[in-house]
Amino acid sequence: MDQGYAKRQRYQGGRGGYGDRSYGGGRDFRGGHGQDWAGRRGGSSAIRWGDDLRPTELKVRTNYFEVKNQNLCDLMKTKYIQYRVTITNAARRRKVDEEGNAIEPFEYEVQPRRALDLKGPAPIKRRILQSLQDRLARDNVFVVFDFDSIAFSTSQIFQTSGKDDEVVDGEVESGKAMEQYGPGADAETRNRESSRLFHDYKVRALATCDETDTFKSDRYGWYIVRLQEIQKLDENSQGQELETMMDIVLKNKFVAAKMKIDGKSLRKFYIPDDVTNCTRNLIGHQIFQAFGRRGKVSAPLIGVSNTVRICQGGRMFVTIDSVLDVFDIDHTCNRNGERQPIPILDTTSRPRTIAGIDVENYIRNQQKITDKNIQHEILEALKKISFHMRYEKKVDEKALNSFREKLQEEGKSEEAITSKVAEWRFRKSKMEMLNKWLKKDVENPVIWSANDHTFEYKRDGEAKTVSIPEYYEEQYGIKIKYPCMPVVFIKDGRREGYFPIEFIFQAFGKVRGGDFKQEILRFNDDKASTQKLQLLCDIKKAVDTRCKDESPSYIAELLEQYHLGEIEEKPLELQATVLRQPTIKFGARTEPKNPSD
């Protein structure tokens, strides 16, 4: 319980009585410059040192919000099952016969390649598991994930081990009770893990896009997700295991509501601020404006951090804490409400800048940036932000016509051909690398003029040496507007190279290296004591509104399945007993000693 949320009544009256009951004011009740109640700007105190004037009871408000009509007995009416989650990269290939020839008509199968070697709930894991989650929910199966290695369900979702409803060879222990598996389990239990029930699901998900991206990429990848039963939670399960499950349910609720997440962390969820101005309304206009020193490229976001606690008597509570951080934003809205990406090279404002660094003179004179100090400032600014690289290239009409003819040969309808051709054109015209950072292990992460970097490439069988502006114009029909401006090295898997700064846009992420200490302190001072409690109630209402606006039916069904009902509007109040002030004894003396003497 957070004592910082308690209603404190002060009784000392330091420097003339600052407490609500500073009788006489002044330090140690000796009078002085009191300004409250009995202090009366410095009257003499008749209260002797050692007199205990404190009340015997106090009301203490907490940040615990009780779940209505819910307790441990209700929770355990459902037999929950815990799973271990593993994700494997896969590829969709044509089926072949024993001689290795493709089977006709063509049939496809998804084959595993390698394990997805990522630590923690990385964004790509969230996309993969959300895709599986949506697929299972369509069959009224509600599985919750920690988006890393743990999952829970409210019923047994498969009876035999297999791959997408196809039973595979292997030992299946379907009738046995499942023991706890983990670091504390014995060797025999760990060895038995391979014989537990499991099921493999083939999942198609976005391979390169992030949930914070404003332009959805259409590059999908195939993955195999294995759910393997670990244990069943019942009335004999420990409260900590149930709390872990309910915490994961809350995380899934916030993810379904499309709340903002900072990178891999799933401990803090921020309320999106596109239209509602939620953060401004909750923290106040003046404090919000104080965070705006960097103009339109960063903004504060307020959010929530929740945990579930099962307390004595089986009562269930949700703790609510506020979080406030400053983020680089990935877009602004114009007067029509349309989202506009934020370019790293800002040519619309004056002076024109790169990552906030003034380069107006170099752009006006069409010169390369040669000042070492400005180069250093730009490098340091780029190190603190993540970014997207995007551009649209000219489509190869010859290849497009070949693709159309192929679809006609396969007997596709005209409607299907039109749809697939449009998808093909979109895919081939878009070039994206998302959520990248400046590479630290590259000797020259930035070359200060696009004209300075040349390389060799082949076109129509002829090798030639070209600069970056020449390459884009010849290969894609793109004319670089600022050929004297820098190019940045970016790597995305097997693709890497230098890209013009005008192709690079700011990505969403927490501000790195920003000094917002004074603003945070001002916010904490303004929202202290009872104001803090009101803030928590307001944040709870804002989050509930967000959930109702985004995925109301899914979230309602999810919470019902896991018996996480409606949460009280007001926090829990407790009655506290004030202990009597002890007597201070020095040696054989029994009289209290004045600490100031």
Side-chain angles (χ1 to χ4, degrees):
M1 185 179 305
D2 191 344
Q3 295 181 355
Y5 299 143
K7 275 187 172 178
R8 296 185 177 91
Q9 297 186 22
R10 300 178 180 180
Y11 311 102
Q12 182 179 349
R15 292 197 64 83
Y18 60 81
D20 293 343
R21 300 192 182 188
S22 33
Y23 296 90
R27 183 177 175 181
D28 305 330
F29 299 95
R30 293 184 301 171
H33 303 286
Q35 296 182 14
D36 292 330
W37 293 26
R40 301 179 186 240
R41 296 192 179 273
S44 116
S45 172
I47 307 300
R48 295 181 304 166
W49 173 259
D51 290 351
D52 196 350
L53 303 176
R54 298 176 298 174
T56 57
E57 292 184 343
L58 287 174
K59 282 187 177 180
V60 179
R61 293 181 181 175
T62 71
N63 63 335
Y64 278 50
F65 291 75
E66 186 169 10
V67 180
K68 294 181 181 179
N69 304 320
Q70 196 60 268
N71 56 46
L72 185 60
C73 296
D74 297 328
L75 185 64
M76 295 317 301
K77 289 177 182 179
T78 302
K79 305 300 181 184
Y80 304 98
I81 298 178
Q82 180 180 348
Y83 304 88
R84 182 177 302 281
V85 181
T86 55
I87 304 175
T88 304
N89 274 300
R92 185 171 178 263
R93 297 189 175 98
R94 292 176 180 176
K95 287 185 178 181
V96 296
D97 56 23
E98 296 178 355
E99 297 179 357
N101 299 318
I103 298 174
E104 293 186 7
F106 294 132
E107 296 181 21
Y108 292 89
E109 60 182 350
V110 178
Q111 301 173 350
R113 293 193 297 177
R114 63 186 185 278
L116 196 66
D117 186 18
L118 291 171
K119 295 181 180 180
I124 189 170
K125 285 187 178 179
R126 292 202 294 270
R127 293 195 298 274
I128 295 167
L129 296 177
Q130 276 186 273
S131 180
L132 176 58
Q133 196 174 45
D134 295 341
R135 172 175 152 190
L136 294 173
R138 288 194 289 269
D139 297 327
N140 292 321
V141 176
F142 290 85
V143 179
V144 292
F145 297 94
D146 72 341
F147 299 103
D148 185 15
S149 60
I150 299 174
F152 290 92
S153 69
T154 56
S155 62
Q156 194 162 13
I157 58 178
F158 46 82
Q159 304 297 324
T160 58
S161 291
K163 300 180 180 180
D164 277 350
D165 303 325
E166 177 187 352
V167 178
V168 298
D169 295 334
E171 183 182 2
V172 179
E173 297 182 355
S174 57
K176 291 191 174 183
M178 288 180 284
E179 303 87 351
Q180 172 69 42
Y181 179 83
D186 56 27
E188 182 181 356
T189 300
R190 290 195 296 268
N191 291 335
R192 270 202 303 271
E193 190 201 28
S194 60
S195 64
R196 298 183 190 278
L197 288 176
F198 71 88
H199 198 85
D200 289 345
Y201 296 90
K202 300 167 187 175
V203 179
R204 186 171 180 254
L206 287 164
T208 59
C209 187
D210 186 75
E211 59 264 36
T212 60
D213 180 34
T214 54
F215 300 91
K216 290 297 182 184
S217 168
D218 64 337
R219 290 200 301 271
Y220 283 84
W222 282 95
Y223 306 89
I224 294 177
V225 179
R226 171 168 292 189
L227 300 185
Q228 187 167 31
E229 292 185 356
I230 297 302
Q231 67 168 333
K232 292 178 180 176
L233 303 185
D234 52 26
E235 60 274 3
N236 298 320
S237 300
Q238 299 180 6
Q240 184 178 359
E241 296 169 346
L242 298 173
E243 288 178 349
T244 298
M245 181 185 70
M246 301 311 290
D247 283 343
I248 292 175
V249 173
L250 280 180
K251 288 181 172 65
N252 282 253
K253 167 187 171 182
F254 296 142
V255 169
K258 300 179 181 178
M259 295 184 67
K260 293 283 189 180
I261 303 169
D262 174 34
K264 295 182 179 181
S265 174
L266 287 178
R267 294 188 298 271
K268 302 175 182 178
F269 295 86
Y270 300 88
I271 304 171
D273 217 4
D274 293 339
V275 180
T276 59
N277 290 325
C278 179
T279 299
R280 186 192 298 268
N281 295 334
L282 288 174
I283 71 176
H285 178 73
Q286 291 185 345
I287 297 178
F288 184 88
Q289 290 295 106
F291 281 99
R293 295 200 307 264
R294 295 183 62 205
K296 298 180 180 180
V297 298
S298 68
L301 285 183
I302 198 164
V304 65
S305 176
N306 281 157
T307 55
V308 175
R309 291 291 178 263
I310 299 175
C311 301
Q312 187 176 8
R315 297 169 67 187
M316 191 187 305
F317 295 87
V318 174
T319 66
I320 299 179
D321 290 304
S322 63
V323 291
L324 181 67
D325 285 300
V326 184
F327 289 86
D328 292 319
I329 55 178
D330 59 353
H331 70 275
T332 57
C333 292
N334 60 21
R335 295 179 179 178
N336 299 325
E338 299 171 343
R339 297 157 65 97
Q340 302 291 332
I342 297 176
I344 298 298
L345 174 61
D346 183 5
T347 59
T348 60
S349 60
R350 292 294 183 272
R352 289 171 281 193
T353 61
I354 294 178
I357 309 302
D358 184 355
V359 292
E360 175 65 35
N361 290 334
Y362 295 100
I363 294 178
R364 184 189 306 119
N365 299 323
Q366 298 183 9
Q367 294 177 346
K368 171 184 173 180
I369 299 173
T370 55
D371 189 303
K372 296 297 182 182
N373 292 328
I374 294 180
Q375 290 181 2
H376 176 73
E377 290 178 8
I378 292 174
L379 274 174
E380 292 302 311
L382 290 176
K383 289 177 183 177
K384 295 177 181 179
I385 59 175
S386 60
F387 46 80
H388 306 312
M389 191 288 298
R390 293 194 184 93
Y391 65 88
E392 292 189 20
K393 57 187 180 181
K394 183 174 61 176
V395 174
D396 187 344
E397 295 295 335
K398 187 176 180 179
L400 179 61
N401 292 331
S402 297
F403 178 68
R404 187 193 304 272
E405 292 172 1
K406 180 182 175 182
L407 294 176
Q408 290 172 346
E409 291 173 1
E410 293 177 359
K412 302 290 185 182
S413 67
E414 192 60 35
E415 183 179 354
I417 291 175
T418 302
S419 175
K420 288 186 176 295
V421 166
E423 181 183 347
W424 189 93
R425 180 185 289 275
F426 177 83
R427 184 174 67 250
K428 295 297 183 180
S429 65
K430 298 286 184 180
M431 180 63 182
E432 292 181 324
M433 293 183 182
L434 307 176
N435 297 292
K436 300 301 173 185
W437 295 89
L438 199 67
K439 300 294 290 184
K440 297 180 180 179
D441 54 351
V442 178
E443 184 178 355
N444 295 310
V446 176
I447 295 177
W448 295 101
S449 173
N451 288 327
D452 287 353
H453 184 63
T454 59
F455 58 96
E456 188 175 283
Y457 93 110
K458 289 184 178 181
R459 182 176 176 85
D460 299 328
E462 180 184 353
K464 57 189 308 185
T465 300
V466 295
S467 66
I468 288 181
E470 292 171 343
Y471 170 76
Y472 277 100
E473 188 163 8
E474 290 185 19
Q475 185 73 6
Y476 302 124
I478 299 174
K479 185 174 180 61
I480 302 300
K481 295 180 181 178
Y482 303 97
C484 293
M485 288 292 101
V487 290
V488 179
F489 182 85
I490 303 175
K491 183 175 181 179
D492 184 13
R494 290 175 295 178
R495 298 180 300 166
E496 61 179 48
Y498 286 94
F499 296 90
I501 194 77
E502 61 193 75
F503 292 170
I504 299 176
F505 300 86
Q506 182 167 287
F508 176 84
K510 189 181 293 187
V511 170
R512 301 174 70 183
D515 182 15
F516 296 99
K517 184 184 299 183
Q518 294 300 322
E519 290 82 355
I520 296 293
L521 289 175
R522 181 178 175 184
F523 166 74
N524 290 332
D525 288 342
D526 190 66
K527 302 296 182 182
S529 189
T530 55
Q531 294 293 324
K532 180 72 171 182
L533 290 172
Q534 185 59 50
L535 175 66
L536 295 180
C537 294
D538 292 341
I539 290 175
K540 177 185 173 299
K541 291 179 181 178
V543 172
D544 290 344
T545 301
R546 176 76 184 179
C547 292
K548 291 177 182 177
D549 291 343
E550 286 298 327
S551 304
S553 57
Y554 173 79
I555 292 176
E557 184 65 27
L558 175 70
L559 299 181
E560 183 179 347
Q561 289 278 335
Y562 288 88
H563 301 285
L564 188 59
E566 189 177 351
I567 300 172
E568 292 284 356
E569 295 295 330
K570 295 183 179 180
L572 177 68
E573 282 194 6
L574 299 175
Q575 195 77 12
T577 301
V578 180
L579 299 178
R580 183 171 180 79
Q581 183 176 348
T583 301
I584 304 174
K585 295 182 180 180
F586 297 89
R589 300 174 63 178
T590 58
E591 292 295 324
K593 183 71 175 175
N594 191 332
S596 64
D597 293 342

